[in-house]
C-alpha cells in the first residue's frame, strides 16, 4: 500500500492525524493492557479503512502499467486544483438525472413521432434508446473506472489513440468546443416562459431571454460554485417530481376518469403510418439518444467525485434507470392525452399540450413554467460538466487564444473554472443568435448527435483494442463483450443510415437538406484534423522549430501542459 501512497496528492488524502507524543511517552501515564490492545485494534481498523479509501482514489490502472497513462499529465497532476473531491453518490446521481431530463422528454416526442410516423414505432425507439444508452453506460463504466479523472471521452481517446500524438485530443476538442453549446435548452426555456406569460414567441424576444439564461448560468458556476451545485441538485429533484406527476396523471387518463374523450385511441392501431425509411429511423434515434444523453455526465467531472470508482458504479446505472422508467411512461401519458395530429403540431411544447388537454388552460400555463425550470436545470447541469471538459483540454496543452494558463485556471475564485465556462458560452451565444429558433432546434439536435456517434464508434473500438493489447490491465469494472459489440454495431448503423434518402425526400429540417447535419458534423471533426496538422506539422516545418512540452503549476494548484518552441537547425 505504501507504494501507492506516493501517487496520491495531499489535497486528496487530506492531512494525516497527528500523534500526541506526550500522551504516549509520558512515564506518569499508566497503560492498561486491555485498553492498549483495544487501541491497537482500532488503529488497525482505521488503517484498513484508510487503505480502502486510498485504493479507490488512486488510478490503479496506470499505477500497474504507466504506459496506459492518457495525455501528458499524471493522475496526481491532473486532479490537482479546484474544489477537490466533494461530489458523493447523491449529487452524482442527480448530475446524471439533471443532464438527461431537460428539453428532450418535454420537447422532442412530437419530432420523433413525425420522423417515424406512428405511436408504436415512436415508443419502440424510446425503448431502443434506453437499451443503447445502457450498453454505452457499461462501456463508459469500464473506461471511467480504469481512468477516474475528468474529461470523459477525451481521456479514453488519449489512452487508446496515442499516435499521431495529440491528434485524438484536438479532434475531440473541435467537437467539444464548437458543438459543445447549450443553446437548445435556453431556447426551450425562453419559448415556455413566453407561453406561460401569454406573449407571442417573437424571434428576438426568444433570443434575448436565451442569452440571459446562458449568461446567468456562466456567472453562477464561475463565481458561486457551491450555490451552483445546490441549485443544480434542487432542480434535478424538481424535475423528477414533475415527471412522476405526469406519469401518474397519464395512468389516471388511461383509466378514463378525465376530460379526455378516448385515451386509448393512439394505442389501438399503434403502428399505423410507420415509416419504411431507414433514414427516418436513424434521424429519430439520434433525437432519442440525445434525450438520453447525460448517462456519461459523471465521467466528465471525476476529479470532483469522492471515491470515484465506487460512486461511478452506483450513480451511473441508478441515474439512467430512473430516467428510462420516467421517459417511457411519460410518452405513454402524452399519447393517451392527445391525438396524433395534435402532438405533431405541438412542436417544442408537447408537455404543455398534455396538461392543456387534461386540466385546461390554467394548468397548461403552470406546467409551462415547470418545463422552463426543467430546461434551466438542464442548462446548469450541462454547463457544469462542459466547463470541466474545456478546462481539461486547456490543461492538456491544446493551443487556445491568449495562452493556456488562463483557460486551464480556476480564475477568479480558485475553485471553479470560469475560463472553461467562457469557452462554453461563446458558441452557445452564436447558435442562439444566428439561425431562426423554429429551424434551429431540430437541426441542433441532429448536428449534436452525429459527431458524438463518430466518437462513440472509436471509443468502443478502442475498448476492444485495449482488451487485446492490454489483457492484464487493471479493470475495476469489466463490461460483457456482447454488450460492447451491440453498441458498436448500433453506432456504425447510425453513422451510415442518415445518408439514405428519407421517405418524404426532405427530412425533418426543411428547407435544409436531410444530410446536411451529417456533413456539418463531419466538417467540425475535419476542422480538428486541419488544426492539428497546422499546429504539429505545417507551422513547425515552415518556421523551423519543434514543440517541447513542459508542465507548470498555477497559483490555484492546477497543473497545465505548455509547449516551448525550440529552434531546429
Amino acid at each position: 500500500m505504501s507504494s501507492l501512497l506516493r501517487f496520491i496528492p495531499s489535497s486528496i488524502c487530506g492531512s494525516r492525524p497527528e500523534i500526541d507524543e506526550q500522551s504516549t511517552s509520558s512515564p506518569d501515564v499508566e497503560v492498561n493492557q486491555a485498553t492498549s490492545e483495544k487501541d491497537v485494534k482500532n488503529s488497525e481498523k482505521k488503517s484498513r479503512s484508510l487503505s480502502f479509501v486510498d485504493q479507490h482514489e488512486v488510478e490503479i490502472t496506470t499505477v500497474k502499467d504507466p504506459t496506459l497513462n492518457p495525455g501528458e499529465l499524471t493522475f496526481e497532476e491532473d486532479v490537482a486544483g479546484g474544489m477537490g473531491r466533494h461530489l458523493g453518490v447523491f449529487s452524482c446521481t442527480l448530475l446524471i438525472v439533471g443532464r438527461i431530463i431537460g428539453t428532450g422528454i418535454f420537447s422532442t416526442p412530437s419530432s420523433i413521432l413525425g420522423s417515424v410516423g406512428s405511436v408504436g414505432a415512436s415508443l419502440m425507439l424510446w425503448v431502443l434508446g434506453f437499451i443503447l444508452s445502457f450498453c454505452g453506460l457499461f462501456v463508459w463504466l469500464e473506461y471511467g473506472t480504469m481512468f477516474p479523472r475528468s474529461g470523459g471521452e477525451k481521456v479514453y481517446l488519449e489512452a487508446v489513440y496515442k499516435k499521431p500524438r495529440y491528434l485524438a485530443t484536438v479532434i475531440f476538442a473541435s467537437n467539444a468546443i464548437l458543438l459543445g453549446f447549450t443553446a437548445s435548452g435556453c431556447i426551450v426555456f425562453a419559448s415556455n416562459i413566453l407561453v406561460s406569460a401569454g406573449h407571442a414567441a417573437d424571434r428576438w424576444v426568444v433570443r434575448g431571454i436565451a442569452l440571459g439564461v446562458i449568461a446567468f448560468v456562466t456567472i453562477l458556476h464561475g463565481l458561486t460554485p457551491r450555490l451552483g451545485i445546490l441549485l443544480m441538485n434542487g432542480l434535478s429533484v424538481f424535475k423528477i417530481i414533475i415527471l412522476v406527476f405526469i406519469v401518474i396523471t397519464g395512468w389516471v387518463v388511461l383509466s378514463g376518469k378525465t376530460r379526455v374523450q378516448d385515451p386509448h385511441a393512439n394505442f389501438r392501431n399503434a403502428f399505423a403510418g410507420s415509416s419504411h425509411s431507414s433514414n427516418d429511423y436513424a434521424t429519430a434515434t439520434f433525437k432519442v439518444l440525445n434525450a438520453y444523453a447525460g448517462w456519461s455526465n459523471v465521467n466528465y467531472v471525476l476529479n470532483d467525485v469522492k471515491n470515484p470508482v465506487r460512486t461511478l458504479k452506483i450513480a451511473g446505472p441508478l441515474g439512467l434507470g430512473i430516467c428510462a422508467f420516467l421517459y417511457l411512461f411519460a410518452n405513454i401519458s402524452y399519447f393517451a392525452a392527445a391525438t396524433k395530429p395534435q402532438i405533431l403540431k405541438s412542436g417544442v411544447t408537447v408537455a404543455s399540450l398534455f396538461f392543456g388537454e387534461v386540466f385546461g388552460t390554467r394548468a397548461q400555463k403552470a406546467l409551462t413554467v415547470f418545463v422552463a425550470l426543467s430546461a434551466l436545470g438542464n442548462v446548469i447541469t450541462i454547463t457544469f460538466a462542459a466547463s470541466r471538459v474545456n478546462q481539461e483540454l486547456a490543461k492538456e496543452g491544446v493551443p487556445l487564444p491568449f495562452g493556456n494558463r488562463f483557460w486551464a485556471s480556476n480564475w477568479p475564485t480558485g475553485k471553479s473554472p470560469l475560463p472553461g465556462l467562457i469557452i462554453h458560452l461563446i458558441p452557445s451565444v452564436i447558435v442562439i443568435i444566428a439561425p431562426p429558433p423554429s429551424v434551429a432546434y431540430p437541426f441542433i439536435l441532429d448536428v449534436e448527435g452525429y459527431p458524438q456517434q463518430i466518437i462513440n464508434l472509436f471509443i468502443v473500438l478502442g475498448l476492444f483494442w485495449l482488451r487485446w493489447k492490454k489483457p492484464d490491465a487493471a479493470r475495476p469494472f469489466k463490461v460483457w463483450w456482447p454488450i460492447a459489440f451491440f453498441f458498436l454495431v448500433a453506432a456504425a448503423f447510425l453513422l451510415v443510415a442518415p445518408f439514405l434518402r428519407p421517405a418524404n425526400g426532405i427530412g425533418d429540417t426543411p428547407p435544409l437538406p436531410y444530410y446536411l447535419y451529417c456533413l456539418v458534423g463531419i466538417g467540425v471533426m475535419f476542422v480538428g484534423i486541419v488544426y492539428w496538422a497546422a499546429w504539429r506539422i505545417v507551422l513547425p516545418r515552415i518556421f523551423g522549430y519543434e514543440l517541447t512540452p513542459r508542465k507548470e503549476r498555477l497559483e490555484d494548484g492546477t497543473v497545465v501542459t505548455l509547449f516551448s518552441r525550440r529552434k531546429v537547425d
Side-chain angles (χ1 to χ4, degrees):
M1 192 63 222
S2 60
S3 63
L4 298 181
L5 292 177
R6 64 190 180 89
F7 289 90
I8 310 176
S10 58
S11 62
I12 296 179
C13 295
S15 58
R16 303 187 187 276
E18 296 182 0
I19 300 174
D20 188 346
E21 295 182 1
Q22 183 178 0
S23 64
T24 58
S25 61
S26 172
D28 298 330
V29 178
E30 295 183 4
V31 180
N32 182 277
Q33 183 65 29
T35 304
S36 178
E37 291 178 359
K38 184 178 180 180
D39 290 341
V40 170
K41 291 180 180 178
N42 288 338
S43 177
E44 291 176 352
K45 184 177 179 181
K46 290 179 180 179
S47 177
R48 287 194 298 269
S49 177
L50 177 62
S51 297
F52 177 82
V53 173
D54 287 344
Q55 274 189 328
H56 287 75
E57 291 186 349
V58 171
E59 196 173 63
I60 301 295
T61 302
T62 54
V63 170
K64 293 182 64 175
D65 187 354
T67 63
L68 283 172
N69 187 70
E72 290 289 337
L73 302 180
T74 65
F75 177 71
E76 61 178 355
E77 291 169 342
D78 192 60
V79 301
M83 295 175 64
R85 299 191 181 278
H86 60 281
L87 300 177
V89 172
F90 179 76
S91 290
C92 288
T93 301
L94 292 180
L95 189 65
I96 293 172
V97 171
R99 171 62 181 90
I100 295 177
I101 302 175
T103 61
I105 189 59
F106 299 114
S107 307
T108 60
S110 59
S111 179
I112 293 167
L113 178 63
S115 294
V116 298
S118 72
V119 170
S122 178
L123 290 175
M124 291 299 293
L125 276 187
W126 283 100
V127 174
L128 176 63
F130 158 67
I131 295 172
L132 286 175
S133 297
F134 254 103
C135 291
L137 172 66
F138 289 140
V139 172
W140 263 246
L141 278 178
E142 178 165 329
Y143 273 115
T145 53
M146 289 178 69
F147 309 104
R149 57 176 80 182
S150 294
E153 292 89 358
K154 166 198 170 291
V155 176
Y156 315 144
L157 292 170
E158 290 172 342
V160 177
Y161 304 102
K162 294 181 179 293
K163 294 181 180 180
R165 203 172 184 186
Y166 300 108
L167 177 60
T169 306
V170 176
I171 292 176
F172 175 80
S174 67
N175 179 66
I177 295 174
L178 297 179
L179 295 181
F181 39 77
T182 319
S184 58
C186 299
I187 292 171
V188 171
F189 175 86
S191 300
N192 281 275
I193 283 294
L194 289 173
V195 170
S196 66
H199 291 287
D202 179 76
R203 179 182 300 181
W204 283 106
V205 174
V206 169
R207 289 172 174 173
I209 296 174
L211 290 174
V213 169
I214 193 64
F216 163 75
V217 173
T218 300
I219 295 171
L220 175 71
H221 281 313
L223 301 182
T224 57
R226 294 194 182 277
L227 177 60
I229 292 171
L230 288 175
L231 182 59
M232 185 167 62
N233 287 349
L235 287 174
S236 296
V237 172
F238 178 69
K239 286 189 276 190
I240 293 175
I241 294 172
I242 293 173
L243 277 181
V244 168
F245 184 73
I246 290 176
V247 169
I248 294 175
T249 302
W251 291 341
V252 175
V253 170
L254 287 170
S255 71
K257 298 179 180 180
T258 65
R259 56 193 287 175
V260 177
Q261 296 297 321
D262 188 1
H264 301 279
N266 283 328
F267 304 106
R268 290 197 182 93
N269 193 7
F271 289 92
S274 296
S275 171
H276 300 287
S277 169
S278 58
N279 177 282
D280 291 339
Y281 286 95
T283 301
T285 303
F286 278 131
K287 294 171 184 175
V288 172
L289 292 177
N290 188 74
Y292 278 111
W295 44 262
S296 61
N297 214 31
V298 177
N299 294 64
Y300 299 130
V301 299
L302 284 174
N303 289 356
D304 298 315
V305 176
K306 294 184 288 188
N307 202 344
V309 172
R310 173 182 175 274
T311 301
L312 186 60
K313 288 180 180 180
I314 298 173
L318 180 60
L320 179 56
I322 291 171
C323 295
F325 173 84
L326 294 174
Y327 270 23
L328 181 60
F329 284 97
N331 270 276
I332 293 174
S333 298
Y334 294 151
F335 293 132
T339 65
K340 183 176 172 181
Q342 286 177 316
I343 295 174
L344 290 174
K345 294 178 181 178
S346 65
V348 296
T349 57
V350 63
S352 178
L353 169 68
F354 168 79
F355 264 66
E357 291 296 312
V358 177
F359 298 111
T361 305
R362 291 186 179 180
Q364 183 179 26
K365 289 185 177 181
L367 185 276
T368 305
V369 175
F370 296 158
V371 174
L373 291 176
S374 178
L376 174 63
N378 187 249
V379 173
I380 293 174
T381 306
I382 293 175
T383 305
F384 176 80
S387 64
R388 270 66 182 174
V389 174
N390 293 336
Q391 184 183 39
E392 291 299 314
L393 291 169
K395 286 163 60 177
E396 197 60 41
V398 175
L400 297 170
F402 311 114
N404 284 49
R405 290 185 185 88
F406 173 70
W407 301 114
S409 71
N410 290 295
W411 178 87
T413 63
K415 297 179 179 179
S416 181
L418 179 59
L421 289 161
I422 294 173
I423 294 176
H424 180 75
L425 173 69
I426 295 171
S428 298
V429 169
I430 293 173
V431 172
I432 289 172
I433 293 177
S438 58
V439 176
Y441 184 74
F443 186 72
I444 286 169
L445 294 181
D446 295 341
V447 170
E448 286 179 322
Y450 195 81
Q452 186 60 49
Q453 288 303 320
I454 297 176
I455 292 173
N456 290 350
L457 179 69
F458 281 96
I459 290 287
V460 71
L461 286 173
L463 183 79
F464 287 112
W465 186 89
L466 280 180
R467 290 279 188 92
W468 175 53
K469 297 294 290 187
K470 301 286 184 178
D472 298 323
R475 292 179 172 87
F477 178 89
K478 197 170 184 179
V479 62
W480 190 36
W481 74 263
I483 291 178
F485 183 75
F486 176 70
F487 188 75
L488 172 65
V489 172
F493 167 76
L494 290 173
L495 291 178
V496 175
F499 285 99
L500 304 178
R501 187 177 181 84
N504 62 6
I506 58 175
D508 64 346
T509 56
L512 304 177
Y514 65 88
Y515 52 81
L516 180 62
Y517 73 90
C518 304
L519 298 181
V520 171
I522 294 173
V524 168
M525 306 196 84
F526 184 73
V527 167
I529 297 176
V530 173
Y531 194 80
W532 171 84
W535 173 46
R536 299 289 302 178
I537 299 176
V538 177
L539 293 179
R541 287 184 180 178
I542 292 175
F543 295 102
Y545 64 84
E546 65 179 12
L547 296 170
T548 305
R550 58 185 175 85
K551 300 173 185 178
E552 182 177 312
R553 187 177 296 272
L554 306 179
E555 291 182 2
D556 59 21
T558 304
V559 179
V560 58
T561 302
L562 302 173
F563 288 91
S564 301
R565 297 179 182 180
R566 188 170 65 86
K567 198 70 176 177
V568 178
D569 295 332

